[in-house]
Every structure is written in structure tokens, then in C-alpha cells.
Amino acid sequence: MLYNKFNLGFFPTPLHKLKKLSNKHPNYNLFIKRDDHTGLASGGNKTRKLEYLIKQALDENCDTIITAGAQQSNHCRQTAAACAMANLECHLLLGGKRPEVYEGNLLLSSILGANIHFTAKNRKGEDIETLKNILDKQGKRCYVIPYGGSDIIGAMGFVNAVRELKEQLTAQQLKIDYIFFASSSGGMQAGLTLGKEIYTLHSELIPISIDKDETKGVSLEKVVLDIINDGFKKFKIDKKIQISEINLNRDYDKDGYGVVTENERNAIFELARNEGILLDPVYTGRAFYGMLDFLKKEKLPPNSNVLFWHTGGLPAMFTSANQLK
Ligand SMILES: *Cc1c(COP(=O)(O)O)cnc(C)c1O
């Protein structure tokens, strides 16, 4: 049923209990799924999407990949690594202007051999078509991966992730009631939603919005909606949903993309100092804060089994913009 993929990572990623934090929150059992350990040049959730996207590019006989993101894009860093493995030329369009010193993901993308273009205020792929026209004229066969790898092909990675999760839950004789994760370009949320339908997973998804800005004038809810309905068509599921049915928690994105407040900082320290697990300052720090806030305010029924899906992002910790200490 699923598309073919090009293997890029180590799967299944570990699923385990957060023992100390569960003791600190006696009403809940807390678990974590470790997509920070997918293995692709320090890992992250984009590895799952790229397995399907890179396969598609190779099937279409492309020799060049173009994608885009913020200067500290985890998606772009993992795309650069995937291109190295698949022997594809990689072009990244990154927001901001060329810094004197490369740090974090930007440094890694450069080490991984990507061609890096800086695009000022455009950090969501606004300039992809312009670059594609130039590269087309040079005779390159370009495959465009949209912002965040979020289309139906990339989302397949998370349809497949639900299958993987279900196998782990069966093996561990575990039922998960709620799944928290950071949602930002929408592919993960759409893929998990489709996977829930296809593999009948009963856990409720609680996607935490990380970025309040729209993508080329389109809301995240609409991006997720379109990918889900696209998926229903592809899988011949006789269903179409409305935008009002997209559940996205917007309580924690008000400070803006990439802004680290006391909230993210405290969440990062809490997981690091209780479980020895590192979150990232942009995505997982914010989503984990959201989950802790739900627990503190007792928004979930007592005795719930709650899973945090760690989506990676650690390289962004190693930038001088971070004042975490
Ligand atoms: C991209 C990313 C996300 C969000 O996934 P989307 O599919 O873009 O919504 C979450 N966490 C990290 C670390 C990411 O790099």
C-alpha cells in the first residue's frame, strides 16, 4: 500500500518510558519516541519523509534536489545528508543573510556538501521556482522538495511511522492515549493522521504549533488539510475532511518562530536534568513545554498514557544565538 522508499535511517526508533518524570507526575505514565535517533547526520523526523522523497526523485531520474528552510533548518541538514548518500546534487535556500561564522545545522549542511543560497526574509521556499529555472537552464534535472518536505510523498514517512509505532505498542503490550509532537510544516501531522486511519491507531494526536507565520499565505491548518485529503484520494479512502476538523494547538506559538523564552528553557532543563535527554530550542523544547503545561493544568484524564514524539533538532542548540545555560 505504501510507496517504495530509499533507506536513510535506523528504524524502528526506540520507544521507552520516562521513569523519573512519570514519578514526578503520578497521575500520568509518560513515554517518549526517539526520532532524534533516526541516525541521518544526527537524526530527526525529516529522515522519515526523505526516504520517500529521495526515492521519488531517483525514480524520476533527477540528479539535483532543491529545498528550503530557515537558516537553522533541520530539514535542510538532513536533505543534504540524504543527497550525499543518494549521489544527488543538493541546493538549499536558507533564510537570512550569509553569516560570517557557520554554526549548528548551517555548518553541518555545508560540511555535507550542499550548495547554500541565502534568501533574506524568505525562509519557506518562496524562491524555489527562480532557482529551479536557473538550474534547469544549466541542464540539471531538478526535483523540488517543498518546505519541510511536507507533501503527500513526504507524509508517507509518517504513515509508515504509525505502522512502526503499532508494532512497538503490541510488542510492549502498551496503549498510548495521547501523542504530543511539534507541528510546523504539517507533513508529520498529516502523515500521522492518515496513518491513524489506515492502521486504526486509537491514540489522540495533540500537535503543538511552533510557528505562527503562514507558508506563502496559507495557514498550517490548510496545509495539513490538503495533504490529508490528498492522502484519502491516493489510498482510495472514501472520506474528505473540513478545516474545522484539523486539530492544531495554537496556545504556545505566540512568541514567534525560534524565540526561546523561559518556557522552552525550563522544558529543556526538565527533560535534560531528569532523564538525560536533550531537546532542541526551536521545536521540541516548545512542544515539550506544551505537554508539561497540559499535565500541570490536569487537562488530560488521570492515569493516561502520554507519549512525547521527539523529532530531533539538537544541532540548533549549538549556535551562539542560544543563551541556554
Ligand atoms: C521539521 C521539524 C518538526 C515539525 O515537523 P513538520 O512535519 O514540519 O510539521 C518538528 N521538530 C523538528 C526538530 C523539526 O525539524
Side-chain angles (χ1 to χ4, degrees), residues 45-46 49 74 148 150 182-188 280 283-284 311-313:
N45 71 338
K46 303 309 179 305
K49 302 178 184 183
N74 300 298
S150 288
S183 187
S184 159
S185 74
M188 177 172 180
D280 84 285
Y283 298 90
T284 53
T311 45

Side-chain angles (χ1 to χ4, degrees), residues 43-46 49 72-78 105 147-150 155 158 181-191 208 210 220 224 257 280 282-285 287 309-314:
N45 71 338
K46 303 309 179 305
K49 302 178 184 183
Q72 282 302 323
S73 170
N74 300 298
H75 162 64
C76 290
R77 180 248 313 157
Q78 287 165 86
N105 281 301
Y147 173 66
S150 288
F158 278 94
F181 59 96
S183 187
S184 159
S185 74
M188 177 172 180
Q189 183 175 346
I208 305 290
I210 297 308
L220 178 53
V224 173
Y257 179 77
D280 84 285
V282 181
Y283 298 90
T284 53
W309 201 309
H310 194 326
T311 45
L314 186 61

Side-chain angles (χ1 to χ4, degrees), residues 265-316:
R265 191 183 140 90
N266 289 336
I268 289 167
F269 288 173
E270 185 71 3
L271 190 64
R273 294 173 186 188
N274 284 289
E275 302 284 350
I277 297 173
L278 296 165
L279 294 167
D280 84 285
V282 181
Y283 298 90
T284 53
R286 185 163 284 181
F288 198 75
Y289 168 72
M291 187 179 97
L292 292 177
D293 194 49
F294 265 68
L295 302 185
K296 193 175 84 187
K297 294 180 177 153
E298 301 187 351
K299 288 192 187 178
L300 306 175
N303 299 319
S304 297
N305 288 347
V306 182
L307 178 85
F308 183 76
W309 201 309
H310 194 326
T311 45
L314 186 61

